[in-house]
Amino acid sequence: MEKEDALNALAALGQETRLDVFRLLVKAGKEGMTAGAVSDALNVRPNTLSTHLGALSRCALVRAERDGRSIHYIADLATMQSLVTFLLRDCCGGNPDLCAPIANLFTTVSCSDTKGL
Amino acid sequence: MEKEDALNALAALGQETRLDVFRLLVKAGKEGMTAGAVSDALNVRPNTLSTHLGALSRCALVRAERDGRSIHYIADLATMQSLVTFLLRDCCGGNPDLCAPIANLFTTVSCSDTKGL
DNA sequence: TCCATAATTCGAGAATACTCGAAATAACGA
DNA sequence: TCGTTATTTCGAGTATTCTCGAATTATGGA
């Protein structure tokens, strides 16, 4: 992940409604939730939520899948993991090899093997 | 870490200058850098930088240590790690035990054992 | 004490972001 | 085709954030 992508992702998550949306979708798992369901759950107006979902989509923290009239939004933990790796890059005295593999465990060992995200 | 703390930290890092500052301090290691050195390195005016350093300090991503006339700023990776843990909480279908211990490895195993952060 | 250096605080202007109501688009079923 | 539901786009108003010059505080040395 490049700096600009990380910056966009961090800015996206640094806003209360969007952080709530992302965490809700993380909990919802691979099925995700429709925009309407998120709107109801968080009590955010549909048009406002749509703006936020657009922001999360643009930086790939979330992806959209249309299903009939509804659109399911699903958290993309691979992006989350890239972000984490980026943030901890050079955290061990400029030797990223020490931290990066551990960051990979988030998805490769734990999450994807248990619930498939 | 609580949601509000995570939100503040994410908002702090979601701004280019502050992200640059934080990453620079991560690379600088436990010695940190003086405000002036950061100002020179990133080409940001001292008063503007001071505002950003204040923002990073307020959410504990950075801590300050005065040394004579200078003030050293040091990245606090423990906060970073708490943030990561918070973001990935419930990423394994509501079973945080699967992910949280792995998040802990960032500091307990890798970083603190090698350079003491 | 007086001066120089290091950093912060203050106040204001410009730019950006958030939210909303209204209108538009997309998909389904009768 | 028409109506209904789900979601997005548009435009504007309000609020927040960023940056800056100027002034202020803090420290150390002559």
Side-chain angles (χ1 to χ4, degrees):
Chain A
M1 177 178 281
E2 305 295 324
K3 182 184 119 180
E4 192 180 335
D5 301 318
L7 190 55
N8 290 336
L10 289 164
L13 292 173
Q15 201 277 334
E16 185 162 22
T17 303
R18 286 193 299 261
L19 181 58
D20 289 341
V21 169
F22 180 77
R23 295 212 302 148
L24 186 62
L25 292 178
V26 164
K27 283 189 189 139
K30 69 203 287 195
E31 299 286 312
M33 289 173 71
T34 64
V38 174
S39 175
D40 289 344
L42 299 181
N43 224 327
V44 178
R45 287 175 205 285
N47 59 348
T48 299
L49 177 66
S50 183
T51 302
H52 290 311
L53 285 171
L56 290 169
S57 296
R58 249 173 276 122
C59 59
L61 282 166
V62 140
R63 68 174 203 279
E65 276 180 23
R66 180 174 279 279
D67 175 28
R69 274 187 277 216
S70 300
I71 298 179
H72 284 257
Y73 282 91
I74 300 137
D76 189 337
L77 293 195
T79 299
M80 190 68 241
Q81 194 247 317
S82 298
L83 176 61
V84 168
T85 302
F86 175 85
L87 287 171
L88 294 175
R89 190 176 293 171
D90 302 330
C91 79
C92 296
N95 193 341
D97 294 338
L98 292 172
C99 287
I102 295 174
N104 286 330
L105 292 178
F106 274 103
T107 53
T108 58
V109 170
S110 178
C111 298
S112 54
D113 287 354
T114 55
K115 303 274 282 190
L117 298 187
Chain B
M1 177 177 282
E2 305 295 324
K3 181 184 121 181
E4 192 179 336
D5 301 319
L7 191 55
N8 290 335
L10 290 164
L13 293 173
Q15 202 276 335
E16 186 162 22
T17 303
R18 285 192 298 261
L19 181 58
D20 289 341
V21 169
F22 180 76
R23 295 212 302 148
L24 185 63
L25 292 178
V26 164
K27 283 189 187 138
K30 69 203 289 196
E31 298 287 311
M33 290 173 71
T34 63
V38 174
S39 176
D40 289 345
L42 299 180
N43 224 325
V44 178
R45 286 174 205 286
N47 58 349
T48 299
L49 178 67
S50 183
T51 302
H52 289 312
L53 285 170
L56 290 168
S57 295
R58 251 173 274 120
C59 58
L61 282 166
V62 140
R63 68 174 205 279
E65 276 179 23
R66 180 174 278 278
D67 173 28
R69 275 187 276 218
S70 302
I71 298 179
H72 283 257
Y73 282 90
I74 301 138
D76 189 338
L77 292 195
T79 299
M80 189 69 242
Q81 193 248 317
S82 298
L83 176 60
V84 169
T85 302
F86 175 86
L87 286 171
L88 293 175
R89 189 177 294 170
D90 302 330
C91 78
C92 296
N95 194 342
D97 293 339
L98 293 173
C99 287
I102 295 175
N104 286 331
L105 292 177
F106 274 103
T107 52
T108 57
V109 170
S110 178
C111 298
S112 54
D113 287 355
T114 54
K115 302 274 281 188
L117 297 188

